[in-house]
Structure formats: structure tokens, C-alpha cells
């Protein structure tokens, strides 16, 4: 009997004390285990390090997409917003406390809201906070611009100085060649004046006049074509003068597989002598050779990979009449280029901006073409444009 009693007591003790002993061992091992280096360096929630806005603006690194409107998500307080799934049946990770998460959700509420006009192509931002541009606003702007290469800003009430500051947030402003001629702004050199106004002596007070402007991407004939163009409406005609944009991502995606394969490795030679209006550029002389491949110029790949989105698009530049393809006979190149331009400007890939007071457009020259309608010469159209530097086109092969 004593033996049986002893065994029962031992069994009860083992059931009661054993788990506590094992838990203490585990806790002891856990406390003495080395901490993960990545967790040591990770900033605590709601205490994300603030970086200088100018450094962020100068970088071309891609930023995360906008998170506004995502269902069942919150934003954590790490250096970049992260979406955490709170759907039923899923565990939210990296949560420290309900209070901290609520704090972070409020802190990372989006400062700008983007309305989708055309999926993955055109977005609209109403009442952009030009007067309160900080690191977060610039980051959200960059993310929106990556998601929507064409951005329309409505209810814009700023001047030249604010427009230049806005351009600086995206990168270093560069001068358009026409800013050395009719489009020059005496007070702000960064501004390109686009207008059909006349000066007192009858000369042009701006560039491009009142006629049609053909399909092109800005300043395609330089080594590093610009990334962004920002065009702000100041005076508008009653009708006409609309701007149209063609999606080069969609144009490439719609190409037959055989044509996509044919374009791999091909580059267009963009001559630097004749501009889009057929005029000889400032400081240039028209060569005697009828072969455009022999003219001075730069070569850019037809298939271009976007530096931020990583997507592939057609990059055709402008001035179709004077283009050639590197290493290809002119007759063969002309047929191929005609086909590419026709496909790129197909109405299926085109969206039109009908201007109204308070509008400002920002477009990505690396993945879009644009053109303009003519308008009544008796009406006035005055626009101010700034341009942001880009990178050398990267081949998508």
C-alpha cells in the first residue's frame, strides 16, 4: 500500500511541477539566446526615422504604391508603409500592441488621394497640398506617379515659384531647347512659356503658337531625355488646344509576339538637326546626305524598361519623318517605323485632356507620347511648363 501511495504522489507532483520546470528552462534558453540582428536594427513602430526630403526627392528609387482605400489593412510605423492583412482567419504579424497600431494607422493616413481616370494610366489629384510638401507627401506623389504615368491636378492655384519647387521635389529641373528661343521666361529660367501671345513688337511671346503639335515625347534626341513634364494652365481658349496622351505600356503589350521578338536589340537613331516642326535646330546645319542614319544624333532602344515601374514600353521619340533604325536599310526601317507609330498611337491606347481653369498635368516621358489640338488663332492659350531630368533609356532585353 505504501508503494502504491508513493507512486500516486510522485505522479501528481510530475503533472503539477513538470510543466513549470520545462517552461522555466525554455524561458531561460530564450533569454540567453542571441537577438536577431535585423530586429535589433528595426525602428520601433510609430518612430520611423525621418529622412531629409531633398535627399528623397533627388533619389529615383521606387516607392511603395498608395495604400489608400485598401480593405482590411492598416499601416505600421516602419520606415516604409506596410500592409497587414486583418481578414478573418489571418494573423496580423509584427504587431506590438493595439494602441501602437492605432497610432500608426492614424500617423500614416494618406495625405493625397488619387482618383483613377484610366486604369494604370491616368490618375487625378484634387487640391494637392503644394504649401505642405514634406517627405511623406513627396513619397506618396512618387508612388502615385509610378502607378499612373499621367496625373491631372485639379483646383491648382499656384504661381511659377511654387511650380518650380514642385518640380524640384521630383528631381533637378532641366531646360527645354525652346527655352533659349521663343519660350524663354525672363524671371524664372526654369519655366518654358507655351503660348500664342504676341509681344508689343509683334514677335512671339511664347512657343508652339496655335497650330497642331504632332505625337512625340519631350526632348527625345538627347542622351538623358527628361522624365517628367509639368504643364500648368494660365489662360485657355473656349475650345481646342486639348492634349492627348498615348500609353506606351499598353502599346507594347498589344504587339504580336513575333513583332516583340523582332524589336529585341533594335534602336532608333534620333537625329539632332531637324525638330518636330521640320525646322533646323538652333546652332545646327542640315547635312547634305539623304540618309538620316548619317546625321548627328543619339541612339535609344525601341523597347525601354522603366526605371521605377520595371515595365516595358515602346520608346519612339518624335519627328518620325527623319528617323532611322541602327544597322537597318532605310527602306526597311521606314516600313517598320510606320507600323510602330501606327500601333503606338492607336485610339485604344489614347486618352484626351480637355483643359479647364485650375488644371495642371504631369506626365512621364519615359512611357507616354503626347500631342496637341490646334485652336482659334484669335483666342489666347498661355501655359507654363517645367521639365525634370531623366536617365539614359534602359533597354528591355
Amino acid at each position: 500500500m505504501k508503494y502504491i501511495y508513493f507512486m500516486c504522489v510522485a505522479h501528481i507532483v510530475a503533472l503539477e511541477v513538470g510543466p513549470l520546470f520545462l517552461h522555466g528552462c525554455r524561458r531561460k534558453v530564450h533569454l540567453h539566446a542571441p537577438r536577431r540582428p535585423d530586429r535589433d536594427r528595426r525602428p520601433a513602430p510609430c518612430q520611423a526615422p525621418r529622412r531629409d526630403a531633398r535627399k528623397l526627392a533627388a533619389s529615383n528609387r521606387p516607392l511603395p504604391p498608395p495604400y489608400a482605400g485598401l480593405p482590411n489593412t492598416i499601416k505600421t510605423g516602419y520606415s516604409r508603409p506596410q500592409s497587414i492583412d486583418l481578414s478573418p482567419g489571418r494573423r496580423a504579424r509584427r504587431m506590438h500592441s493595439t494602441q501602437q497600431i492605432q497610432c500608426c494607422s492614424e500617423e500614416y493616413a494618406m495625405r493625397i488621394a488619387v482618383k483613377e481616370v484610366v486604369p494604370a494610366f491616368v490618375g487625378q489629384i484634387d487640391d494637392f497640398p503644394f504649401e505642405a510638401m514634406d517627405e511623406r507627401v513627396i513619397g506618396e506623389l512618387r508612388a502615385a506617379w509610378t502607378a499612373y504615368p499621367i496625373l491631372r491636378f485639379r483646383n491648382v492655384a499656384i504661381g511659377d515659384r511654387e511650380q518650380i519647387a514642385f518640380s524640384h521635389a521630383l528631381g533637378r529641373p532641366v531646360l527645354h531647347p525652346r527655352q533659349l528661343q521663343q519660350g524663354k521666361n525672363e524671371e524664372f529660367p526654369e519655366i518654358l512659356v507655351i503660348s500664342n501671345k504676341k509681344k508689343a513688337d509683334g514677335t512671339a511671346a511664347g512657343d508652339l503658337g496655335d497650330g497642331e503639335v504632332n505625337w512625340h515625347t519631350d526632348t527625345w534626341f538627347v542622351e538623358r531625355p527628361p522624365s517628367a513634364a509639368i504643364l500648368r494652365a494660365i489662360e485657355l481658349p473656349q475650345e481646342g488646344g486639348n492634349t492627348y496622351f498615348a500609353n506606351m505600356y499598353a502599346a507594347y503589350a498589344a504587339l504580336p509576339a513575333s513583332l516583340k521578338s523582332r524589336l529585341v536589340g533594335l534602336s532608333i537613331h534620333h537625329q539632332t538637326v531637324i525638330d518636330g516642326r521640320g525646322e533646323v535646330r538652333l546652332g545646327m546645319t542640315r547635312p547634305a546626305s539623304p540618309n538620316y542614319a548619317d546625321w548627328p544624333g543619339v541612339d535609344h532602344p525601341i523597347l525601354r524598361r522603366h526605371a521605377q515601374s520595371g515595365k516595358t514600353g515602346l520608346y519612339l521619340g518624335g519627328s518620325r519623318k527623319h528617323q532611322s533604325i541602327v544597322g537597318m536599310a532605310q527602306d526597311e526601317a521606314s516600313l517598320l517605323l510606320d507600323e510602330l507609330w501606327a500601333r503606338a498611337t492607336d485610339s485604344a491606347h489614347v486618352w484626351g485632356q480637355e483643359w479647364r481653369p485650375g488644371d495642371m498635368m504631369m506626365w512621364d516621358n519615359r512611357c507616354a507620347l503626347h500631342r496637341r489640338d490646334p485652336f482659334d488663332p484669335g483666342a489666347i492659350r498661355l501655359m507654363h511648363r517645367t521639365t525634370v531630368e531623366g536617365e539614359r533609356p534602359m533597354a528591355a532585353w
Side-chain angles (χ1 to χ4, degrees):
M1 292 295 295
K2 292 182 179 181
Y3 176 79
I4 295 173
Y5 176 80
F6 176 80
M7 292 299 296
C8 290
V9 172
H11 182 68
I12 293 171
V13 171
L15 290 176
E16 293 293 328
V17 179
L20 296 176
F21 176 80
L22 292 176
H23 176 73
C25 293
R26 291 194 196 102
R27 180 172 178 81
K28 184 176 181 180
V29 171
H30 174 73
L31 291 174
H32 288 276
R35 298 186 67 182
R36 287 173 53 184
D38 57 335
R39 291 192 176 181
D40 292 343
R41 292 193 298 266
R42 181 181 298 162
C46 302
Q47 296 178 359
R50 297 190 61 83
R51 289 169 289 181
D52 185 77
R54 294 183 180 177
K55 291 181 180 179
L56 179 63
S59 70
N60 285 323
R61 292 178 299 172
L63 290 169
Y67 289 94
L70 289 178
N72 300 321
T73 59
I74 60 171
K75 288 77 181 176
T76 62
Y78 298 106
S79 57
R80 292 194 178 193
Q82 301 178 26
S83 173
I84 295 183
D85 191 356
L86 295 183
S87 303
R90 298 295 301 271
R91 289 186 177 182
R93 298 183 178 179
R94 292 188 235 185
M95 295 184 179
H96 292 266
S97 70
T98 304
Q99 293 79 7
Q100 286 180 331
I101 289 173
Q102 183 179 0
C103 162
C104 296
S105 180
E106 294 174 355
E107 180 184 357
Y108 273 89
M110 300 301 289
R111 298 274 291 280
I112 60 176
V114 184
K115 301 176 183 177
E116 186 172 87
V117 180
V118 178
F121 188 46
V122 184
Q124 178 175 311
I125 300 175
D126 297 333
D127 304 307
F128 182 85
F130 292 97
E131 74 290 346
M133 286 186 61
D134 57 15
E135 177 185 355
R136 282 179 52 198
V137 171
I138 294 170
E140 292 176 17
L141 173 63
R142 283 182 172 275
W145 191 39
T146 300
Y148 301 100
I150 312 299
L151 284 178
R152 173 169 63 192
F153 298 82
R154 286 250 145 112
N155 309 321
V156 174
I158 61 173
D160 291 341
R161 196 179 304 276
E162 291 79 14
Q163 182 175 346
I164 293 170
F166 176 84
S167 303
H168 270 286
L170 295 170
R172 186 177 67 88
V174 293
L175 295 184
H176 189 279
R178 303 300 295 184
Q179 286 171 256
L180 304 177
Q181 298 170 275
Q182 293 97 327
K184 185 176 181 180
N185 184 297
E186 297 294 342
E187 184 177 3
F188 298 100
E190 299 92 340
I191 295 288
L192 169 64
V193 180
I194 298 177
S195 180
N196 62 328
K197 277 189 170 183
K198 302 290 184 182
K199 297 179 181 178
D201 59 3
T203 59
D207 191 34
L208 297 182
D210 51 53
E212 181 180 6
V213 180
N214 295 322
W215 287 110
H216 68 286
T217 185
D218 294 317
T219 324
W220 67 90
F221 48 86
V222 298
E223 287 286 341
R224 295 167 59 92
S227 58
I230 298 102
L231 185 63
R232 178 170 56 93
I234 299 176
E235 292 186 55
L236 294 170
Q238 289 295 321
E239 59 181 1
N242 297 324
T243 306
Y244 298 84
F245 299 91
N247 187 344
M248 294 299 98
Y249 291 150
Y252 169 75
L255 294 180
S258 58
L259 184 52
K260 289 180 180 179
S261 299
R262 185 184 178 190
L263 296 178
V264 172
L266 295 184
S267 295
I268 295 178
H269 179 69
H270 302 280
Q271 54 79 30
T272 56
V273 180
I274 306 297
D275 65 16
R277 290 169 289 193
E279 301 175 2
V280 177
R281 296 189 189 279
L282 186 67
M284 303 298 292
T285 302
R286 187 186 184 101
S289 172
N291 187 0
Y292 304 130
D294 298 332
W295 290 20
V298 297
D299 302 337
H300 292 316
I302 296 177
L303 301 183
R304 178 174 184 172
R305 189 178 307 283
H306 196 279
Q308 274 69 54
S309 72
K311 296 180 181 179
T312 297
L314 293 177
Y315 188 73
L316 302 181
S319 188
R320 158 66 197 95
K321 181 180 177 181
H322 302 96
Q323 289 181 330
S324 58
I325 294 179
V326 179
M328 186 179 291
Q330 189 65 47
D331 292 343
E332 181 185 1
S334 294
L335 292 174
L336 178 55
L337 287 167
D338 286 344
E339 180 182 3
L340 291 177
W341 277 97
R343 290 180 178 275
T345 57
D346 186 282
S347 59
H349 312 313
V350 175
W351 173 82
Q353 153 70 357
E354 296 184 6
W355 291 90
R356 74 183 196 187
D359 278 359
M360 185 176 82
M361 296 298 300
M362 181 173 92
W363 63 86
D364 194 327
N365 280 295
R366 299 166 292 185
C367 56
L369 294 170
H370 61 279
R371 73 171 185 87
R372 187 192 73 184
D373 273 343
F375 58 95
D376 181 5
I380 296 297
R381 185 179 188 267
L382 174 61
M383 321 287 280
H384 280 189
R385 200 188 94 174
T386 47
T387 310
V388 179
E389 71 173 351
E391 65 282 345
R392 203 185 195 299
M394 178 172 53
W397 58 72

